[in-house]
Amino acid sequence: MKGRLRHGGFTARFFLPWALILGFGLLMLYSVTSPPGDFGLDDDGSAYTISRVFFQRQLMWVLIGLAAVFVGAVIPFWIYKDYFAWFLYGAGLLLLVALLVLPPMRGDTHRWLVLGPMGVQPSELFKVVLIIMLASVLAARRGDPNGMRQVLVTGLIVLPPTLLVLRQPDLGTAITLLWLIFPMMIWRGLSLRRLLIMTAPVISGFIVLYGTITSGGEAPGPGHILWAVFMIALFFVSLLYPTMSVLERVGFYLASVGVGLAVPRIWSGMLPYQQKRILVFFDPGLDPLGAGYQIFQSKVAIGSGGIFGRGFLEGTQKGLAFLPARHTDFIFSVVGEEFGFIGAMAVLGLYTWLIIEGFKLAGKARHPFGQLLSVGISSLLLFHVFVNVGMTIGLMPVTGLPLPGMSFGGSVLVATSFLIGLQMNISRNWGRY
Amino acid sequence: MSRWNVDSETRRAGRVRRMAALSAVLLAILVLRLFYLQVIATGGYLSLSRDNRFRERRILAPRGLILDRRGRILAENQAACEATLAVRVPERNPEILPILAGILGTDSAAIAGHCARGAEEGLPRVILHRDLSKEQILVLEERLPALPGLRLEDWARRSYPQGPLAAHLLGYVGEVDEDELAPAGLGPRRYRLGDDIGRAGVEKVYEPLLRGHDGKELFLVNARGAALETVELLPPSAGNRLYLTLDLTLTACLDSALAFWGAGAGVVMDARTGELLAAASRPAFDPNDLIGGIDPDLWRSLREDPARPLFNRVTQATYSPGSTFKPLVALAALEEGVVAENTLLRPCTGGLRLGRRFFRCWDPAGHGRLAVVQAIAQSCDVYFYQAGEQLGIDRMARVARRFGLGAVCGLDLAAEARGLVPDSQWYDRRFGRGRWTSGNVWNVAIGQGELLVSCLQMARVYTALGNGGFLPVPRLRHHVEDEHGEVLIPFSPSRGERARADAAALRLVRAGLEEVLHGEDGTARGSQLASLRTAGKTGTVQNPHGPEHAWFCGYAPADEPEIAVALIVEHGEHGSDIAPIFRELVNVWFGLGETPLRRGPRPPEDAPEATP
């Protein structure tokens, strides 16, 4: 099966959608940084407009991103395997630790590494590192993908960076890192039932938390009934899954029960402001001046776009500055307002194209390392798109995850571009490796 | 390689499908949600985006003017300037409070407390001062840049250029409060908290006509709420102009006369249509003091003043009519055949005995034997004791009711007093059957006792006596024009219902009333005019609280009257003393140019008899 260079050098399957996404992103950023035009200026100046400088900087980042695509595509991807993966992982961890030790470089969080005029978010770059690391380790392991060892090894790899990123604090990125485990382990052969049993304690905790919040912590509400149903289902799944040892099954089951019983006590032990933070995370409407305001304004912008949108540069909600963070996390709201449902479908279509191509590539690649890399990259994109777009339309909490390729910001753009380049690389060499 | 590393093509194809399915499900959720937001619910979000971008500002419509019948202004609007302050100022810019306090003449703590109360009620701004003086406006405007949160806003202040003149009829406006908004059906559509609304008098009765339609301005704002440009302007339309039947000159004449006497009321009515040409109640108040937030001390002093300046003595106060009631008794006696034109009753010797009690005539010298015309002219109590005795209480009550006593007149002004016309049923209820005597009847016959009338009712009685029995509905509204001067409601005079009255009897009564002024022995002969024959009747009413009240009712000219007048002066002592007011009103209205009489009490002639 020699299919080398079958698609020529740069594969249009990945480059074309990614280039279109980058181009569309620049267009939206141009719109967002346009002066408010007909609407006049604020009486105390134009401070609420977003400077054209952001567009110019993004243009520069796109050029660097294209270079990153090239780098990703031409350096044979298998050199990242094994030793180099460990090296990248170690260096990345050190960088994350250093970031926490050093004083905050931008704002009051430890997210940024500032080098002269450039600001980099190492956690964004670490997503790349983690994908390579997980792909390398999982590809090299010969054992049972459903065994405890496999789970433990993967967990030990993901947990340290996750905790470090959580400390920055950057909850969105931390959850993204955790998320990468599941698609990559499933690809490696992890059974879904096994996954269910192992994640049962977490799911149990969330259901009980939901029940506690909605019922006010007293009488059994719909959440508690849901929990009971879940625990019964889990019992049968555990019973009917003989490949797992009895000890493990009983252990996970008891852990689920324990978490379910503990959560209400932890909740009632929390201080009101801590409770509120959790409540707002689940329902931003509870904080109408903060996260709730952002979600509301974003929904207004997108909803008012209708089917065809207001037209390029015509968005009133972005123009009059009702949309918050409209050049970064809420760039999709501007797409929805100016290009309507049609435009939103087009953008989602481009991402879908890119993601599905990635999964198809995983199916074709010969070596597990290439397969896992491509699965990881597509899963990462899927997660970002779902969480970011879901946030702008009120389905997801405000986590601060950017829309790769469109949101303003260099780190994500360069990191994702490099990953797309890697997929092109794998695609170019799928028969060979 | 173990079995885990060399997956079959089919196993991998299955995983690809699984991953693609997961992607499809997640993206389908996004698509469905976007479809809902942008295709199904887009209308709602479109209007929300409008709400985001546009703010509405109400432009208050000026209230309609109130004018007299000749177009002279009784109520208008004056530009005023109020100072409002954002409630957050005391915490954000506490340094400006002392400056503000200095200019406005209060202290910082009071302003801070005011803001705190406003913030508690959820208001963004509070009013610091409703009506700034010119000097205050100048100083504040100059320092405005250094006073963040302060805003000067123009508003139209209701103003009554004639001051207390006809204040009880015009009424005044006040601010709509929360209690009124919901239950009164005023609704949030037309009124908002703090809007002016008629509180009394014509301002209240004609509120719907006087209130204008507010305009609105729609303007674009950015996310900070800064106004960028006007998008839509709907100009306000002013309230309608209400022309009253009052004549300012005549009202001023009446008012100044009553003011001289202290307390009382007067009405000049068009004897053909019932229009109120003049009306006044004293003591009065200046409605200008009640606009733009009443000073609580002033309000208390007005309410607690024993002279009751807020009380409308024209329509709401009731008094015994005294001798001014006698013409009705005479009319009934003639109509019922109790007396004829020349019937002489028992002679007046200064009084008449009833059982063990002696009912005195006002003139202790006695009037001798009088026929009906002279009995009216000289107001002989003894004659009317006998006429009343023979008529009985019920026939007297009937004639009183026929001329509108004991019922509201229907003037377009709220809260008219009905007065009281007692009959045998009433006495039976009041004292018990058989527990009341002819004494009560005798008292009613001379307009004393339980009989109670208002000044307005008496003006109507004399209108009907003068015009041959027509009982018009008194009115204050002449006509209504819209803001551009187009007549909205035209003037429509009406003679009213005809009270049943025997023409011959009425002629005799009117002859008696003319004799009052022009006869040799008339009780008000001192107030006759040389160039016009008038008719009227004096009245003096005993009163437990002090000196007697004085009445004078009449009409002019005597043969075909154009105006009818009723006057009551509390503690005026003698009806003849206030007859000069009548003379002067006629003098002014007909432009006769005769020299006014000297004001002041005159020698006594018409004292009441006393009954327990």
Side-chain angles (χ1 to χ4, degrees), chain B residues 97-293:
Chain B
L97 293 185
I99 306 172
L100 279 176
I103 299 169
L104 300 176
T106 55
D107 61 277
S108 307
I111 295 177
H114 198 44
C115 287
R117 277 193 300 279
E120 253 170 49
E121 289 166 31
L123 301 171
R125 315 184 65 78
V126 292
I127 295 171
L128 287 186
H129 199 293
R130 275 289 263 174
D131 201 1
L132 297 166
S133 71
K134 283 205 175 84
E135 294 75 27
Q136 285 173 326
I137 296 172
L138 277 176
V139 176
L140 286 174
E141 273 182 347
E142 194 180 312
R143 306 188 67 166
L144 211 50
L147 297 170
L150 182 78
R151 213 183 278 170
L152 301 180
E153 279 164 81
D154 292 327
W155 62 288
R157 182 191 209 281
R158 196 62 161 169
S159 151
Y160 304 91
Q162 311 300 334
L165 191 62
H168 297 91
L169 300 170
L170 290 176
Y172 49 90
V173 296
E175 290 176 23
V176 172
D177 59 42
E178 267 168 64
D179 298 338
E180 280 169 311
L181 275 182
L186 299 176
R189 202 164 53 84
R190 288 205 66 195
Y191 290 85
R192 288 190 202 168
L193 211 59
D195 279 4
D196 276 346
I197 187 172
R199 276 269 177 265
V202 166
E203 292 272 31
K204 182 175 180 180
V205 172
Y206 288 109
E207 171 68 23
L209 283 172
L210 290 169
R211 183 168 172 84
H213 288 271
D214 293 334
K216 66 176 178 182
E217 184 190 5
L218 201 65
F219 56 96
L220 194 68
V221 295
N222 65 17
R224 292 187 183 180
L228 300 177
E229 63 179 286
T230 300
V231 178
E232 195 186 326
L233 188 70
L234 199 80
S237 68
N240 301 304
R241 286 182 211 165
L242 174 60
Y243 285 81
L244 297 184
T245 56
L246 294 180
D247 181 275
L248 186 59
T249 316
L250 197 65
T251 306
C253 171
L254 172 63
D255 187 67
S256 68
L258 289 173
F260 169 81
W261 282 93
V267 174
V268 181
M269 195 178 270
D270 189 305
R272 296 154 302 191
T273 62
E275 296 158 52
L276 259 57
L277 301 173
S281 172
R282 280 280 174 173
F285 58 94
D286 188 343
N288 291 307
D289 295 339
L290 307 183
I291 305 303

Side-chain angles (χ1 to χ4, degrees), chain A residues 39 41-42 142-143 145 187-188 297 302-304 306 310 316-317 320-322 336 341 352 359 365 371 393, chain B residues 2 4-5 12 15-16 19 23 26-27 33 35 37-38 42 45-46 49 52-53 222-224 226 228-229:
Chain A
F39 302 123
L41 291 177
D42 200 348
R142 305 268 186 271
W187 187 267
R188 204 61 196 94
Q297 295 297 353
I302 291 174
S304 67
R310 291 184 193 272
T316 60
Q317 303 301 294
L320 295 168
F322 290 105
F341 184 65
T352 311
F359 287 132
Q371 298 168 10
I393 55 183
Chain B
S2 82
W4 300 113
N5 273 4
R12 278 192 278 160
R15 285 186 202 147
V16 170
M19 289 296 174
S23 314
L26 292 183
L27 288 161
R33 177 74 170 167
F35 185 80
L37 288 179
Q38 298 192 289
T42 180
Y45 287 107
L46 208 57
S49 77
N52 251 350
R53 283 182 292 152
N222 65 17
R224 292 187 183 180
L228 300 177
E229 63 179 286

Side-chain angles (χ1 to χ4, degrees), chain A residues 316-392:
Chain A
T316 60
Q317 303 301 294
K318 69 121 222 254
L320 295 168
F322 290 105
L323 267 181
R326 56 199 179 281
H327 60 309
T328 56
D329 294 350
F330 284 89
I331 190 85
F332 188 78
S333 314
V334 184
V335 176
E337 187 185 14
E338 298 201 339
F339 294 104
F341 184 65
I342 305 274
M345 287 305 100
V347 169
L348 285 184
L350 289 175
Y351 281 110
T352 311
W353 180 6
L354 202 55
I355 291 163
I356 298 291
E357 284 296 339
F359 287 132
K360 277 161 71 179
L361 175 64
K364 275 190 285 183
R366 188 159 161 246
H367 194 277
F369 180 60
Q371 298 168 10
L372 285 163
L373 272 183
S374 194
V375 166
I377 293 165
S378 278
S379 307
L380 181 73
L381 269 177
L382 179 64
F383 190 75
H384 268 273
V385 170
F386 184 73
V387 173
N388 179 277
V389 175
M391 171 186 75
T392 64

Side-chain angles (χ1 to χ4, degrees), chain B residues 276-424:
Chain B
L276 259 57
L277 301 173
S281 172
R282 280 280 174 173
F285 58 94
D286 188 343
N288 291 307
D289 295 339
L290 307 183
I291 305 303
I294 307 172
D295 174 26
D297 292 333
L298 176 70
W299 184 241
R300 198 176 326 112
S301 75
L302 281 173
R303 288 201 77 94
E304 290 173 5
D305 186 343
R308 304 178 70 193
L310 294 171
F311 189 44
N312 183 357
R313 287 168 164 79
V314 174
T315 57
Q316 293 175 333
T318 57
Y319 307 88
S320 295
S323 301
T324 57
F325 183 64
K326 286 173 182 167
L328 290 185
V329 178
L331 182 70
L334 287 165
E335 283 176 345
E336 302 283 344
V338 167
V339 293
E341 180 178 357
N342 297 314
T343 307
L344 301 175
L345 300 178
R346 278 188 281 162
C348 170
T349 58
L352 191 66
R353 185 166 300 281
L354 175 69
R356 297 169 58 191
R357 280 162 55 195
F358 187 69
F359 282 71
R360 271 178 292 170
C361 183
W362 66 268
D363 188 352
H367 293 100
R369 291 169 77 96
L370 295 177
V372 64
V373 172
Q374 277 309 311
I376 294 172
Q378 297 179 35
S379 199
C380 176
D381 290 338
V382 169
Y383 182 91
F384 285 98
Y385 292 146
Q386 299 173 70
E389 169 75 33
Q390 292 180 43
L391 273 172
I393 188 69
D394 289 331
R395 284 197 284 191
M396 282 196 291
R398 264 208 303 277
V399 74
R401 294 207 180 100
R402 232 161 69 201
F403 281 80
L405 298 182
V408 294
C409 302
L411 178 68
D412 40 359
L413 202 64
E416 256 185 69
R418 306 170 71 94
L420 176 66
V421 175
D423 55 17
S424 55

